[in-house]
Amino acid sequence: MLGSGSLRSLVPLAWMCLFSSVPHGEAKVLEKTFEEWLRYRDECLRRMASEPYPAGLFCNRTFDMYACWPDGSPGTAVNVSCPFYLPWFEKVKHGLVSRRCGADGQWVTVNGSQPWRDYSQCEDELEVTAEEEGARRLMVSFKVLYTVGYSLSLLTLISALLVLTVCRNLRCTRNYIHANLFASFGLRATSVMVKDALLERRWGVELLQVADWEALLSHEAALGCRAAQVLMQYCILANHYWFLVEAVYLYKLLIGAVFSEKNYYRLYLYLGWGTPVVFVVPWMAAKYLKENAECWALNENMAYWWIIRIPILLASLINLLIFMRILKVILAKLRANQKGYADYKLRWAGRGAAQSGIPAPPHASPPPCTSCNARPAIPWAFTVPLLCPRLAKATLTLIPLFGIHEVVFIFATDEQTTGILRYVKVFFTLFLNSFQGFLVAVLYCFANKEVKSEMKKKWQLWKLDHPVLCCAQ
């Protein structure tokens, strides 16, 4: 077992591996420290085997898993330099660790078994330890936050998927796309929680022997968490590209169509579920060939991380452009309605746009899907005082559907943010990403007038089929 002074600092470093949204340079210290400890141990064993033994009574040379001790004279203190494998060795390289050799030629022990030693000069500064403890507690709070968010989102998304699947009258292209988006949110939440569970299991084992550390840091032990990491990256990419599908579909609905609805939906499936594979496979190959360490959560060479990052940024930027274009159409439509234009087309909203709270442009026509015959959720005649509230409502409704919040920190990458800005970025990213699935499911399923109407019909039919239960109540 490594020395207790070293373990107290390595355990928080290992625990930091649980977070994929924070920098992983600290986590890399664990593997490097163990490799340096092995080198220190091997050098100590070679030195002990090569040096001659003194005559008379003495405390035998030993390696106590923390430092390398030479032979000691009875009744004296033996001092050696702080071991070089400590991550903070540069700060304590002039310090000493000491043990006492008893008058009987035996090293002084504590409780009759544990070796006594004074390594106070080899410990890291208390101020740094306090800072690391504060950062650890903050990360614990973040983990609780996004675990609650993803759990709530997962339950809500599963319920929403069941509603869209069971109700036949809700089956149309718009709801199919919503269902795929819900599924991508659910898979993302599941992959994050599975990844966390595997990492906690990996770093939470009790390490008593050197073989335990070697097994912990072996490639075989990391297969499970690496697979979870790959799955998580795929689900995150799929989630972003279903944002893009939602944006493209609504843009097509408002601006005009080129292909048929059937061909479009197949393309949507390829875009949402197929595009992530194009980027995840090269990233996986690069990690396996160039950075095959731990759980593939470390990003020593940021060029490999950009294989995943660039498609996410690209999808977010396209969504932002479509979002601004749609808002421009909405604003122009609202202004036109205020001026009293009497075009009968202005009074019809495409069903997908209506359910999203989006006014239709003058040349919009009803979509081909005839299974979702809900009355437009928003009338197209607005008074002047309603212009800003309606625009604000449409804007706020589209932000979670398109993932527009992603652009807030789009240029503030992990390697560019430091200090308080890094924690602010991590907080908002984890909070919005974890609760976004819940918000989207509520807005586009449970708060949808068409869905509520269909659920009301189902409830009425159920009461007719179970009159005894209803009467009993």
Side-chain angles (χ1 to χ4, degrees):
M1 177 175 171
L2 292 179
S4 58
S6 178
L7 275 179
R8 278 202 296 269
S9 295
L10 288 181
V11 170
L13 292 173
W15 191 89
M16 292 287 283
C17 292
L18 296 176
F19 297 92
S20 59
S21 300
V22 297
H24 298 279
E26 294 90 346
K28 184 65 176 176
V29 173
L30 179 63
E31 184 174 355
K32 183 178 180 181
T33 299
F34 183 68
E35 292 175 353
E36 290 295 301
W37 179 85
L38 290 176
R39 186 163 68 90
Y40 181 88
R41 181 198 63 176
D42 294 342
E43 291 181 4
C44 177
L45 295 178
R46 285 195 297 269
R47 190 184 314 123
M48 289 192 300
S50 61
E51 293 178 356
Y53 286 90
L57 185 66
F58 61 92
C59 291
N60 197 21
R61 64 194 68 176
T62 183
F63 175 63
D64 63 355
M65 310 299 283
Y66 181 77
C68 187
W69 302 98
D71 299 318
S73 301
T76 62
V78 179
N79 299 318
V80 297
S81 299
C82 295
F84 61 74
Y85 64 80
L86 296 176
W88 51 86
F89 176 70
E90 288 299 321
K91 298 180 182 180
V92 298
K93 58 183 177 181
H94 300 299
L96 298 174
V97 56
S98 61
R99 289 186 66 175
R100 287 192 172 275
C101 179
D104 57 352
Q106 299 294 325
W107 294 105
V108 176
T109 60
V110 179
N111 298 327
S113 58
Q114 297 296 324
W116 176 90
R117 57 175 170 264
D118 179 10
Y119 52 83
S120 58
Q121 298 182 28
C122 299
E123 287 188 309
D124 202 2
E125 299 178 6
L126 294 179
E127 293 78 10
V128 176
T129 302
E131 181 181 349
E132 291 178 351
E133 180 64 19
R136 189 191 68 84
R137 290 180 179 178
L138 187 60
M139 292 298 105
V140 170
S141 302
F142 287 168
K143 183 177 185 294
V144 172
L145 172 71
Y146 77 72
T147 301
V148 171
Y150 279 126
S151 301
L152 180 62
S153 295
L154 186 59
L155 292 175
T156 311
L157 290 164
I158 292 175
S159 302
L161 282 172
L162 288 176
V163 169
L164 295 181
T165 303
V166 171
C167 300
R168 294 184 178 181
N169 291 336
L170 298 177
R171 297 177 184 178
C172 61
T173 302
R174 169 173 48 81
N175 286 336
Y176 289 157
I177 293 175
H178 288 343
N180 279 278
L181 179 64
F182 296 164
S184 70
F185 270 118
L187 290 174
R188 179 173 181 172
T190 303
S191 66
V192 170
M193 290 189 289
V194 168
K195 184 262 303 179
D196 282 356
L198 289 175
L199 284 175
E200 286 180 350
R201 180 180 177 183
R202 173 176 167 82
W203 296 112
V205 296
E206 187 177 5
L207 304 173
L208 300 176
Q209 304 295 331
V210 177
D212 296 335
W213 286 90
E214 293 175 339
L216 173 69
L217 298 174
S218 65
H219 293 305
E220 292 77 9
L223 288 178
C225 64
R226 287 175 186 174
Q229 187 74 16
V230 172
L231 177 62
M232 186 186 72
Q233 297 300 341
Y234 171 82
C235 293
I236 291 175
L237 272 171
N239 192 212
H240 280 83
Y241 274 85
W242 277 107
F243 290 155
L244 181 59
V245 169
E246 291 277 4
V248 170
Y249 176 75
L250 187 55
Y251 181 82
K252 178 189 81 69
L253 200 64
L254 292 177
I255 308 304
V258 178
F259 302 103
S260 68
E261 196 74 24
K262 181 179 179 180
N263 291 336
Y264 249 125
Y265 184 65
R266 180 171 294 180
L267 290 176
Y268 294 153
L269 292 176
Y270 292 152
L271 178 62
W273 298 117
T275 304
V277 178
V278 177
F279 300 100
V280 170
V281 171
W283 173 80
M284 184 172 57
K287 297 296 286 188
Y288 178 77
L289 297 175
K290 301 295 183 180
E291 284 187 359
N292 195 26
E294 295 188 9
C295 293
W296 290 357
L298 308 178
N299 297 307
E300 290 185 342
N301 189 336
M302 294 304 297
Y304 306 139
W305 173 234
W306 281 105
I307 299 175
I308 296 292
R309 183 69 179 167
I310 285 179
I312 292 178
L313 296 180
L314 180 62
S316 299
L317 287 174
I318 295 175
N319 280 358
L320 179 62
L321 294 176
I322 296 177
F323 176 73
M324 295 172 65
R325 173 63 174 159
I326 290 176
L327 290 187
K328 182 179 178 181
V329 172
I330 295 172
L331 185 59
K333 185 71 198 75
L334 294 177
R335 287 176 176 173
N337 285 332
Q338 281 189 332
K339 292 179 181 179
Y341 292 144
D343 188 340
Y344 75 96
K345 289 185 179 180
L346 298 183
R347 300 186 179 275
W348 173 263
R351 229 171 354 259
Q355 294 300 322
S356 302
I358 308 303
H363 58 277
S365 59
C369 178
T370 58
S371 59
C372 303
N373 295 317
R375 184 172 56 86
I378 297 178
W380 305 126
F382 295 103
T383 59
V384 175
L386 288 179
L387 174 59
C388 291
R390 293 291 185 175
L391 182 61
K393 179 181 178 182
T395 302
L396 295 176
T397 304
L398 285 181
I399 286 176
L401 185 68
F402 288 4
I404 299 300
H405 66 276
E406 297 279 348
V407 303
V408 174
F409 294 102
I410 194 170
F411 297 111
T413 58
D414 290 340
E415 63 272 16
Q416 293 174 335
T417 53
T418 57
I420 189 64
L421 179 60
R422 183 185 299 277
Y423 291 115
V424 171
K425 176 182 182 294
V426 170
F427 171 78
F428 280 103
T429 300
L430 293 178
F431 177 80
L432 295 174
N433 288 346
S434 60
F435 284 93
Q436 187 180 5
F438 167 77
L439 182 61
V440 169
V442 170
L443 286 177
Y444 292 91
C445 183
F446 300 110
N448 185 290
K449 290 184 179 180
E450 179 186 352
V451 174
K452 290 192 293 186
S453 176
E454 187 64 26
M455 294 303 296
K456 185 177 180 179
K457 292 178 183 178
K458 292 286 185 181
W459 173 247
Q460 295 295 336
L461 291 175
W462 185 88
K463 289 197 299 183
L464 292 175
D465 293 337
H466 302 79
V468 177
L469 293 177
C470 296
C471 294
Q473 292 178 355

